[in-house]
Amino acid sequence: MINKDKLKGFISGLLFTAVLGVSALGITVLAEPMENKISVVYDNIKIYVDGVLSQPKGANGETIEPFISNGVTYVPVAAISKIFGKDVSWDGNTKSIYIGKKTDIKVQEVTVSNVEELFAALGSNKHIKLKPGIYNLSDLKQGYSERKNIYWKEEFDGNELILDEIYNLTLEGIGDKPAEIVVEPRYADVFTFIYCNKISLKNIKAGHTIEKGECAGGVLNFNSSKDIDISSSILYGCGTYGIIAMNTENLKFNNSIIEECTNGAMTMSDCKDFTFTNSIFRKCESSNLINIYSSSNIVYDKCEISENEAFIKDTNILAVSLSSGIKFTNCKFKDNKTFNFDKNIIPDIDFTGTTFDGNSFDGSLDFGK
């Protein structure tokens, strides 16, 4: 058995560095500020633990050799942690390496009643409770922001709010009705999340202030993000799509509505592990209602897809390509008009328990009836 005192002394004597993050942790941890070039020397360095030779291995089992730079020996974090039976993890939001147990993260709870308070409260490890009312992001001063993770991006007719590398943020309406968050520019998404993790929206209504049909921006846009939870919320048009997602994983959409959007309910590419449950997608005048490209494990369960209408010829109610694990189980397609819907050209979709009533599809529909 390894002596714990020796363990503490040994680990404290090692210099752990993000330079080895890709091989050691199995994820990229090189941050932009790390631009210095270093020269390294590999000299067949061996590690012995209590007299026994131990060969460091990376996350995928590959051999990782320690090296020397400027007289300092560098050893991979994950390899050493594994030797001593400790888990290792990397938190890209706080730029932290955790060996063993993580420190408890304190979440700050803030109650807001206007858009200025909402904007000031935005950030990581926040639970923001919104009192009833309308929060117009376009009413904010939208100049230079010293907060590098929350900033404005210029669009054709206004600015779009960007949340970049935000971690563990909850926005929750606390009234009987959802708190409403809106923007005015036609080309701006209501919220854009980039490299964000653990984002939760509860009892929130979001969309644009202008008339339906005038938008070029969507409602919620997720790029390279994960662990998204949307519940008891409404995403509406004017807005091209309720949800736009790219390279995003583990999104949950429960007991919520997407309605009256101008291009469709949602579009996603290079995404995985999305679940939509007990939700409604309705009254969208769309080109393609649900777009799924190069994605996997996208599941709709007990959802209603109703009263949507195609406004462009050869429009599909489901546009699915290069994807797998797509399911519509126990769902209802009803009263949708003028879409193309040919089950035979939709690859490997599971429609178990799903019903189709009152639809007028342009295209064959064969579900064994």
Side-chain angles (χ1 to χ4, degrees), residues 7 10-27 29 47 49 54-59 62-67 73-91 95-100:
L7 169 63
F10 183 75
I11 291 180
S12 64
L14 291 172
L15 178 58
F16 298 132
T17 175
V19 172
L20 291 164
V22 175
S23 298
L25 294 177
I27 55 176
V29 302
I47 298 175
V49 179
S54 180
Q55 180 62 61
K57 299 288 185 180
E62 71 276 17
T63 298
I64 301 176
E65 184 180 348
F67 63 79
T73 301
Y74 291 81
V75 183
V77 179
I80 294 300
S81 299
K82 186 175 181 180
I83 290 173
F84 291 100
K86 295 286 183 179
D87 293 328
V88 62
S89 59
W90 165 254
D91 187 338
K95 306 294 187 295
S96 302
I97 296 172
Y98 290 91
I99 299 173

Side-chain angles (χ1 to χ4, degrees), residues 245-248 266-272 274 290-296 298 300 318-324 326:
M246 179 181 296
N247 192 32
T248 291
M266 66 196 69
T267 181
M268 62 194 79
S269 62
D270 298 298
C271 294
K272 65 179 181 179
F274 281 25
I290 297 176
N291 289 279
I292 304 173
Y293 174 78
S294 189
S295 298
S296 61
I298 313 297
Y300 301 80
L318 300 178
V320 181
S321 60
L322 301 177
S323 300
S324 62
I326 313 302

Side-chain angles (χ1 to χ4, degrees), residues 61-313:
E62 71 276 17
T63 298
I64 301 176
E65 184 180 348
F67 63 79
I68 299 172
S69 178
N70 295 326
V72 177
T73 301
Y74 291 81
V75 183
V77 179
I80 294 300
S81 299
K82 186 175 181 180
I83 290 173
F84 291 100
K86 295 286 183 179
D87 293 328
V88 62
S89 59
W90 165 254
D91 187 338
N93 296 283
T94 61
K95 306 294 187 295
S96 302
I97 296 172
Y98 290 91
I99 299 173
K101 294 182 179 180
K102 279 190 174 183
T103 56
D104 292 333
I105 298 175
K106 294 183 179 180
V107 176
Q108 181 183 3
E109 187 174 293
V110 182
T111 299
V112 301
S113 58
N114 58 58
V115 71
E116 289 80 12
E117 292 175 349
L118 169 60
F119 183 73
L122 289 172
S124 294
N125 300 314
K126 295 287 188 68
H127 186 161
I128 304 174
K129 295 185 175 182
L130 289 78
K131 291 183 178 181
I134 297 176
Y135 297 76
N136 189 338
L137 299 176
S138 298
D139 287 343
L140 293 165
K141 294 181 180 179
Q142 300 177 7
Y144 171 76
S145 173
E146 294 183 353
R147 295 189 290 174
K148 67 176 183 179
N149 299 105
I150 301 172
Y151 53 89
W152 299 96
K153 176 185 175 184
E154 185 177 355
E155 295 294 345
F156 178 75
D157 59 343
N159 291 324
E160 177 178 284
L161 183 60
I162 308 294
L163 281 71
D164 191 344
E165 292 189 355
I166 296 297
Y167 177 86
N168 200 17
L169 169 65
T170 296
L171 300 176
E172 180 181 6
I174 57 175
D176 294 334
K177 297 180 179 180
E180 188 169 2
I181 302 174
V182 300
V183 296
E184 295 177 6
R186 292 176 300 145
Y187 284 78
D189 300 327
V190 178
F191 278 119
T192 294
F193 299 89
I194 304 175
Y195 297 108
C196 291
N197 189 3
K198 293 186 177 180
I199 303 299
S200 179
L201 280 74
K202 302 177 182 179
N203 198 31
I204 295 294
K205 185 176 181 179
H208 295 69
T209 61
I210 61 177
E211 292 296 323
K212 184 176 66 174
E214 297 295 325
C215 272
V219 183
L220 301 181
N221 189 337
F222 300 98
N223 191 332
S224 302
S225 298
K226 64 179 181 178
D227 299 336
I228 313 299
D229 191 348
I230 302 168
S231 62
S232 303
S233 294
I234 301 172
L235 312 180
Y236 66 89
C238 182
T240 52
Y241 293 97
I243 292 177
I244 302 170
M246 179 181 296
N247 192 32
T248 291
E249 59 183 89
N250 193 25
L251 182 148
K252 296 179 180 179
F253 189 91
N254 180 52
N255 193 33
S256 295
I257 296 171
I258 297 177
E259 62 184 2
E260 298 185 342
C261 289
T262 55
N263 276 18
M266 66 196 69
T267 181
M268 62 194 79
S269 62
D270 298 298
C271 294
K272 65 179 181 179
D273 301 331
F274 281 25
T275 58
F276 300 85
T277 56
N278 297 307
S279 294
I280 299 173
F281 315 117
R282 67 187 179 195
K283 298 182 180 180
C284 295
E285 296 178 358
S286 67
S287 49
N288 292 312
L289 184 70
I290 297 176
N291 289 279
I292 304 173
Y293 174 78
S294 189
S295 298
S296 61
N297 299 325
I298 313 297
V299 177
Y300 301 80
D301 186 56
K302 300 182 180 68
C303 292
E304 178 183 304
I305 301 93
S306 62
E307 301 181 76
N308 301 287
E309 184 172 1
F311 64 85
I312 298 176
K313 186 179 180 181

